[in-house]
Amino acid sequence: RHRRKRTDVIYLAVPVSATPAADSVNALDDTEPTEDQPETEGDEIPEIDMQINIETQSMDRFFAEMIQYRMHEKLPRDRKRAQAIMQQSDFYQIEGVELVRLAKFHRKGQEELAMLQKQRCAPPHLRLEIMKNMQDYLAHSSVEKMYYICRKRYFWKEMYSDIVAYVRSCETCLK
């Protein structure tokens, strides 16, 4: 029986007044991998050239609600959704023309600020392209490796299940 290795993400709430410090966030690519995090192929993960901005991110209902709250302090009318937006809003910031999510990936021996990682909030219509490009870059490797690499740069709800479905339907991987 195969068990998926658990990869923890610890979230750090960053007040809006503290966002200039987030600009000094370093990518995790230049640190040594731990036993929980596999090494990546090559030195640098290629950035996928795509238009991610507030307009395209607003196609996702959650991102649209978060953008409205972060920019205009407007909450959804539904009480549960409004509460969820307020609870999670510290993990998001508007940077330039896009919404980014701040996550803290646990790495031993690293300072708190250095562990912050900005994840681009991927709009629905670009998720398939992101998965295709990552799968090609990783030479059609495992679900876990693809998820680990994708989550370093991008975020969307249910990313892992989307990656599992994509890899299972990949014709190259099925051969």
Side-chain angles (χ1 to χ4, degrees), residues 67-84:
I67 289 165
Q68 284 298 311
Y69 182 68
R70 296 299 289 174
M71 291 181 76
H72 309 290
E73 295 186 8
K74 292 182 182 177
L75 287 168
R77 291 183 185 192
D78 180 79
R79 183 182 166 133
K80 286 184 180 181
R81 294 192 65 78
Q83 189 175 24

Side-chain angles (χ1 to χ4, degrees), residues 3-91:
R3 298 182 100 182
R4 183 173 72 85
K5 194 173 211 177
R6 185 174 171 200
T7 54
D8 292 331
V9 177
I10 302 169
Y11 301 103
L12 178 66
V14 179
V16 175
S17 61
T19 54
D23 292 336
S24 64
V25 173
N26 296 326
L28 295 177
D29 293 332
D30 59 344
T31 59
E32 292 184 28
T34 63
E35 62 187 41
D36 292 335
Q37 297 169 330
E39 291 188 34
T40 59
E41 305 281 321
D43 296 323
E44 183 68 27
I45 302 166
E47 186 67 33
I48 300 169
D49 183 34
M50 56 183 63
Q51 292 296 319
I52 296 179
N53 56 46
I54 291 171
E55 186 178 321
T56 60
Q57 289 170 325
S58 292
M59 293 176 192
D60 180 282
R61 181 178 177 186
F62 176 78
F63 293 158
E65 292 170 346
M66 185 60 70
I67 289 165
Q68 284 298 311
Y69 182 68
R70 296 299 289 174
M71 291 181 76
H72 309 290
E73 295 186 8
K74 292 182 182 177
L75 287 168
R77 291 183 185 192
D78 180 79
R79 183 182 166 133
K80 286 184 180 181
R81 294 192 65 78
Q83 189 175 24
I85 293 293
M86 286 176 41
Q87 288 175 344
Q88 296 178 41
S89 68
D90 287 339
F91 308 124

